[in-house]
Amino acid sequence: MAKKVFVNIHKLTEKHNISLRELARLSDIRHAALSELQSGKRENINFAHIERIAEALDIDDIREIIEIREIREA
């Protein structure tokens, strides 16, 4: 099985009880970019975005933001 990196935007917004729009405002990241990360449509991850999300939500452990999952290859 192949492995893929996922950004846990949905989990973060639920845990911190904020909307995607609020996360965009707090992190100064475009709403569209966060939406693409959340849906898995964005293939590249910008480390500056990860840093901004961590700063905005006071996260010290990167594993709260990203994770590696095994996926089935088609």
Side-chain angles (χ1 to χ4, degrees):
M1 285 196 178
K3 296 185 189 273
K4 185 171 179 176
V5 175
F6 288 87
V7 182
N8 295 320
I9 300 294
H10 185 71
K11 287 181 185 177
L12 292 171
T13 55
E14 280 188 347
K15 178 180 177 181
H16 293 272
N17 197 29
I18 59 173
S19 67
L20 193 61
R21 233 174 247 299
E22 180 67 6
L23 180 57
R25 187 187 69 75
L26 292 171
S27 62
D28 196 29
I29 300 171
R30 289 182 317 109
H31 179 268
L34 289 174
S35 181
E36 289 172 355
L37 282 173
Q38 179 173 295
S39 67
K41 290 181 181 176
R42 185 168 277 225
E43 291 293 319
N44 296 321
I45 298 173
N46 184 329
F47 283 107
H49 287 177
I50 301 301
E51 291 169 352
R52 288 185 201 162
I53 292 168
E55 183 69 32
L57 301 178
D58 196 29
I59 294 173
D60 294 322
D61 189 345
I62 194 169
R63 293 175 295 179
E64 284 187 59
I65 302 171
I66 62 173
E67 66 179 286
I68 298 173
R69 298 183 205 155
E70 289 189 8
I71 58 168
R72 293 180 185 231
E73 295 186 57

